Every structure is written in structure tokens, then in C-alpha cells.
Amino acid sequence: MNQEYSGTKLALLLAAGELFAEYGLEGASIRAIAEKAGANIAAINYHFGSKESLFLAVVNHLMQENFEKINLDEHLARAHTLRKPEEFSELIRDMVYRRFQVFFDTAEPEWHIRLFLRVFLESAALLEDLVHKCFDPDLYAVQQIFRLVNPRLNEDEVEQFALGFMAHISFFCISKMPILVHLKQDKYSEAFLKQTADHIIKLITAGLGLPNPVRTTMTVSN
């Protein structure tokens, strides 16, 4: 956890996250959050100012943690050193694998994914700050990498490839439950995640005019 959060503030953040994931921003009451955290209602106003600010703090914290684990800066720095098509293919493979390892880490609480699903139901005005702080920097970094991968792409094509890259992976987070029902499974298997990641890699590299990279092992924490 971020050092910014500890004690009562951390307890409120975690309690709010679980309740927001279950009931949404409107459905989770200040009183319920305070009771779950073992704190008083005044503590929420003191640490966060309002329920909306607490909601944004929870989502922002989880997104920042995920992006730190993804570490796109490392991939971007690596992209500047590459020259051969097969090297760029390996980079794309590693970018997809890293996201699968972060987003589908079974050690993470289940409410993390449910909370992100709730986020999509909130108003654009509420999410504007989160988009500028988290989504946009991630998207722009992926765009920079794809410009280096294929300099012939125009700006619209770069944006579409970057959005597609993120959307392919996000779909398996957002649609996890119906996919599992379809598969008649209670959780994603390592084999399914590896097969899915490799398929996404194949689609992206082919679209960018790159060779399909040699397959390697991908593991997700249990």
C-alpha cells in the first residue's frame, strides 16, 4: 500500500473500496463505511472531505498501484533501443504478458475488479480527473511505443492501435463472469490466460506488420 495511507485513513480506504464495489457510489453509505472501518463518520470528512472524494481516492489508488506494476516507462525506454521487427514483437509480447499478470493476479482481492466495473457506471464529470491522472498517461505511453514500432502509422491509426491494445485486455476483466459461465469454470485457468494473451499478441503484432513472437511462459500468481 502507498505510504500515504495508514491507520484510520487506510482502514477507511479499504472499507470504502469493498462497499463501493458491492453497492456503488450511491448505494454505499457514509455510516456503513465508517462502521466497517471501525471509525466515526467525522473521520471520512477529515481525511477525504466527501464520499465522492473518498470514491475517487480508492479508485485512483488502485489504478496507480496497477500502473506502477505494469511499469510502462520500462517498456518505453526499451522501445527506443530496438531496431529489428522481431525485437518489437518481443516487446509487444512482454507488454501484454505484464498486463495479464497484473490484472489477473489471483492474489488480489476480488472486489478490485468489481470496483473497476462500478467506475464505468459513474458520470463522466466525476471520472474526468481519474482519466487525466491515470488513463491518459497510460494510453499516451502505449501510443509512443506504437509510433516507434511502426513509424508509418498516422496519428489516428496510432490511437486506434493503442485503444485496441487496452480494450482487448480490459474485455477479459470486464466480462470475466459471463466468460467463466460460458467456459463452465469458476476461475480463469493458467492455460486459458496464456492462450488468450498469445491470441491478443498475434492480433496486435499482425496488425502492426510484425512477426508473431516466439512463445514463452506466462504465469499469474496464485
Side-chain angles (χ1 to χ4, degrees), residues 164-210:
F165 169 84
M166 297 168 72
H168 277 304
I169 300 169
S170 297
F171 172 78
F172 289 91
C173 296
I174 297 168
S175 303
K176 180 178 179 181
M177 293 314 299
I179 291 172
L180 289 176
V181 170
H182 167 73
L183 295 174
K184 297 180 174 60
Q185 297 176 357
D186 59 0
K187 65 179 182 179
Y188 285 146
S189 68
E190 288 279 347
F192 176 78
L193 290 174
K194 175 68 163 57
Q195 181 184 45
T196 302
D198 285 340
H199 181 69
I200 292 172
I201 292 164
K202 184 176 181 179
L203 290 175
I204 294 170
T205 53
L208 290 168
L210 298 172

